[in-house]
């Protein structure tokens, strides 16, 4: 999500301040900066917005301080690329944004909206896990531990697996309560291959059709965002989950034995679904580890 879409008031103020300070060359970059992480540092009372960069920050980093005008500082790398924005003001804007009822919906359905989750949402994600323990009990034998949400939020695939980015989505009802969540990896292994790590719907909505509606919205959003295939893994003991994924069009492509989840080890069914033309040879060429005969 771009800074201009996430916090339009902040983006406009920062752009104006940069022009007045003679750094108008950065204004367009600030406007278009895509936020990939957002958290609150209570020690320094600042909100950090980390932006997309198609490079690694180099040595000789510098800071453009707009603290006197806007309460913002911009961190640049040696090449002048924007790598971080620290916000020390705008508490009213940030507080409003923290209210999920006001966060921009990525997609929506009857009685719910899907919004992007950020690090500051970890406590509400943990509360959702605690209130809806069925999934974790089924796959790991116990409810989610106290650090489960934080671990899930920050978990990433192995460094050798190509991946564009991770999304954590929160499904929110009209009152702002979390009624579902999804964990998505974009362009895993190859461009256009997206991975559904988790899709959990509140227990009270089971049997209502909400899960199917949420998944339909999720699939449409993934497709519109560039996904051509979706893949996932479901452990053999999760019969409800396996039935659901087959009903929405996934097929098993291979199995992996002795797959660890918590203290348990499972047979994992790897499943995939085309979100367009179903050229399975091309899929297996892009993700050779999903071939049935692959080690």
């Amino acid at each position: 999500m771009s800074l201009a879409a996430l916090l339009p008031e902040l983006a406009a103020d920062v752009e104006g301040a940069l022009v007045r300070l003679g750094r108008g060359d950065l204004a367009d970059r600030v406007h278009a900066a895509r936020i990939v992480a957002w958290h609150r540092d209570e020690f320094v009372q600042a909100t950090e917005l980390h932006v997309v960069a198609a490079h690694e920050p180099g040595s000789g980093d510098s800071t453009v301080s707009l603290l006197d005008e806007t309460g913002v500082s911009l961190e640049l790398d040696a090449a002048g690329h924007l790598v971080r924005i620290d916000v020390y003001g705008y508490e009213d804007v940030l507080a409003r944004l923290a209210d999920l009822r006001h966060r921009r919906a990525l997609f929506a359905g009857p009685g719910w909206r899907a919004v992007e989750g950020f690090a500051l949402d970890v406590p509400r994600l943990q509360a959702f896990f605690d209130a809806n323990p069925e999934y974790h009990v089924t796959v790991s034998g116990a409810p989610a531990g106290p650090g489960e949400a934080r671990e899930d939020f920050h978990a990433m695939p192995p460094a050798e697996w190509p991946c564009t980015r991770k999304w954590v989505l929160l499904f929110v009802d009209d009152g702002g309560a979390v009624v579902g969540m999804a964990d998505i990896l974009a362009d895993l292994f190859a461009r256009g291959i997206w991975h559904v790590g988790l899709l959990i719907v509140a227990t009270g909505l089971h049997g209502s059709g909400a899960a199917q509606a949420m998944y339909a919205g999720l699939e449409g959003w993934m497709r519109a965002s560039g996904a051509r295939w979706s893949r996932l893994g479901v452990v053999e003991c999760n019969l409800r989950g396996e039935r659901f994924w087959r009903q929405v069009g996934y097929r098993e492509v291979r199995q992996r034995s002795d797959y660890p989840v918590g203290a348990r080890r499972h047979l994992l069914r790897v499943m995939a679904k085309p979100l367009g033309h179903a050229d399975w040879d091309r899929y297996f060429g892009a993700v050779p580890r999903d071939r049935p005969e692959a080690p």
Side-chain angles (χ1 to χ4, degrees):
M1 184 183 300
S2 72
L3 177 65
L6 187 69
L7 293 170
E9 304 100 323
L10 173 60
D13 287 352
V14 171
E15 291 167 35
L18 284 168
V19 170
R20 290 190 293 275
L21 289 176
R23 292 305 309 268
D25 57 303
L26 293 175
D28 287 344
R29 299 183 196 177
V30 169
H31 182 86
R34 185 160 65 85
I35 305 301
V36 295
W38 169 32
H39 74 273
R40 174 76 173 171
D41 186 336
E42 295 297 343
F43 182 74
V44 296
Q45 294 295 299
T47 295
E48 295 181 0
L49 305 177
H50 293 260
V51 306
V52 163
H55 58 278
E56 292 296 326
S59 59
D61 296 348
S62 63
T63 299
V64 177
S65 177
L66 307 175
L67 296 180
D68 290 341
E69 291 202 47
T70 64
V72 171
S73 66
L74 310 178
E75 182 180 328
L76 310 175
D77 70 6
H81 297 110
L82 180 63
V83 295
R84 196 175 79 181
I85 303 171
D86 290 335
V87 185
Y88 292 86
Y90 297 88
E91 298 304 321
D92 57 332
V93 174
L94 295 169
R96 188 172 76 249
L97 191 61
D99 186 336
L100 297 181
R101 294 173 299 176
H102 300 299
R103 201 171 297 176
R104 184 177 68 91
L106 300 173
F107 54 93
W112 55 265
R113 305 160 61 250
V115 303
E116 183 175 357
F118 296 96
L120 58 79
D121 297 313
V122 165
R124 56 176 33 125
L125 180 59
Q126 183 67 45
F128 172 76
F129 286 165
D130 294 341
N132 301 276
E134 289 80 3
Y135 171 79
H136 291 94
V137 169
T138 297
V139 302
S140 66
E148 189 76 29
R150 184 171 299 279
E151 182 177 340
D152 285 353
F153 186 90
H154 293 289
M156 290 296 291
E160 63 270 21
W161 291 9
C163 178
T164 301
R165 68 163 296 185
K166 177 176 179 172
W167 294 84
V168 174
L169 306 185
L170 303 176
F171 295 89
V172 184
D173 68 14
D174 294 337
V178 176
V179 294
M181 64 81 61
D183 173 334
I184 308 294
L185 297 174
D187 300 320
L188 182 65
F189 303 120
R191 186 164 297 279
I193 311 292
W194 286 41
H195 179 85
V196 180
L198 284 175
L199 175 62
I200 303 177
V201 177
T203 306
L205 295 178
H206 288 182
S208 69
Q212 288 79 1
M214 290 178 183
Y215 175 72
L218 174 63
E219 183 179 299
W221 171 76
M222 291 194 298
R223 185 184 295 107
S225 301
R228 297 296 172 261
W229 292 85
S230 178
R231 71 187 294 276
L232 54 88
V234 58
V235 294
E236 187 179 34
C237 67
N238 186 3
L239 299 178
R240 174 190 286 270
E242 181 181 345
R243 185 167 59 248
F244 173 83
W245 293 119
R246 291 188 186 278
Q247 287 173 347
V248 296
Y250 285 76
R251 87 173 206 191
E252 182 178 324
V253 293
R254 69 160 302 164
Q255 297 181 359
R256 291 187 175 275
S257 60
D258 205 31
Y259 182 80
V261 181
R264 292 181 171 181
R265 307 189 82 81
H266 299 277
L267 175 71
L268 179 74
R269 302 187 190 281
V270 180
M271 309 182 81
K273 177 182 179 179
L275 304 186
H277 176 61
D279 185 340
W280 286 96
D281 288 339
R282 188 170 184 178
Y283 173 79
F284 288 123
V287 193
R289 66 179 283 114
D290 283 356
R291 293 181 181 276
E293 69 277 9

